Amino acid sequence: MRGRIGAVLIAVVGLVLPTAPAHAGITAQIIGGNAVDAATVPWTVALLRANDTNAYTAQFCGATLIDPSWILTAAHCVVNTTPSQVDVAWGITDLNAITAANRHGLSQIIVHPQYNAAQSTSDVALLKLTTPVPGATTLALNTSGTFPVATQVLDTYGWGNTLYPATSYPNLLHGVALTDMGGPASTGACGFYGTQYIGDHMLCAGVNGGGKDACQGDSGGPLVATNGLNQRVLVGVTSWGNGCAVANYPGLWSRVSSYADWIDQQIHAPATPRVYIGNATVTEGDTGNRIATFTVTVSPASTAALTVPYATVADSAISGTDYVAKSGALAFNAGVAAKVISIPVRPDPTPESTEAFQVQLGTPTGSSGATLANAAGVATILDDDSSGANQLTLGDATVREGDNGTGSIVVRSQVALSHAAGTPFTVTYQTVSGTAGARDFTVRSGTLSFTATATVKTISIPISREWIPEGDETFTVTLGVPSTGSVTLTRATGTFTIVNDD
């Protein structure tokens, strides 16, 4: 295990220390690295013994701030430990600079129920802060089981031993760059560990020939990778190794993606479901009704059935003239995360300005205790009569991302003609990442085929649920050139907004 060891532990009173696993010579420090400014990795956490006011001697493990209320660490750091025995601190480079004001208390410790000390499996645990820290910088979890890949550059951080087999514990935070030496193979492919390395649940990182690693005192700390969107994500939790920086024995980390669902469930288990409604954009057309589609999301998905009433409300768009008034109720079964409300928008060949109406939600009913997060969605009706040409337009769309549950969440927008083309034609489409990327939505491209009489097609993009607090994110969908010259592409890009609900 890679918890801090040595003479500093002799004076510890009341803290039950974790037992080492049954791997011969196993230990876990930053070897071969450099001092790092905590401001560049503000989510790196030091675990401190609460009864030791000297933060340098009190530090025994690392961790990562993943939520304003939650910290992720290794199970072996906190097993058989109570919350009152541990303080945490982050955002400070020098342990000697940590004061009582920088130390935060815990209200809960959750060790993974399948943690096995003998095999070092499921070596993860969650720590809940007594008081949330909304302004703190958190690190997003990697949820992809195929990332990182072998040879991927990985960074790890901690205040652990820097001189193995001797000991030299720094007061300054250190970091070192490693590479993924195993990949997500089921077993093997990690130095001389053989079947002790379980690639589905562990990460193997180091350098050929040894010399760089984590070590005692770094346990529970972060292993970080940069994904394809140039975003830093937490991929591993420092767990164990055979010695430190020894050739053919890279360090081993708990693979975060294997435990992302469990982490999500623990953090959101007591959450009250909240109901959101998105916005809609639709082009009115000259003939035939178009549909304004509102997505209603329950996040987190309720464990009990609930019903949400709704009704249209006029704005600059007039009921009966510009759209069809509608009221009703959406019935959500337990576990269902999203439903849609479809409102017909009437055709209008007269040039006019953009118009709008709303769909307002009523108070949810049922035993779930669900509440309204926002009560109104706005439908924007785009005019398509500024010229005599047959115009093709793509609308915008808005959806809430959701936390968990089994029902799919999809954001939909319409590609609409002002009137039927009279001959069949096609148009291609492609998603384009913005502040939202491949981990936030399903990247898609395709071709829409219009018949001679069709005037509307729908593009549907699945959205990934995510519980990490962050800002609203957007991506776009772009249309190609229609295959017929009789159709003019007047609005080629639609903006799809994923509204954060965490």
Side-chain angles (χ1 to χ4, degrees), residues 406-425:
T406 57
S408 61
I409 297 177
V410 176
V411 60
R412 299 177 175 87
S413 186
Q414 292 183 347
V415 180
L417 279 168
S418 51
H419 55 269
T423 57
F425 75 95

Side-chain angles (χ1 to χ4, degrees), residues 41-87:
V41 288
W43 21 258
T44 301
V45 176
L47 301 192
L48 313 170
R49 297 179 182 84
N51 62 357
D52 188 345
T53 58
N54 183 331
Y56 175 75
T57 57
Q59 189 270 333
F60 64 96
C61 270
T64 308
L65 188 67
I66 60 172
D67 178 270
S69 295
W70 292 91
I71 289 168
L72 183 65
T73 190
H76 76 259
C77 287
V78 292
V79 67
N80 300 321
T81 303
T82 64
S84 63
Q85 293 175 298
V86 181
D87 286 341

Side-chain angles (χ1 to χ4, degrees), residues 40 243 381:
T40 65
I381 304 175

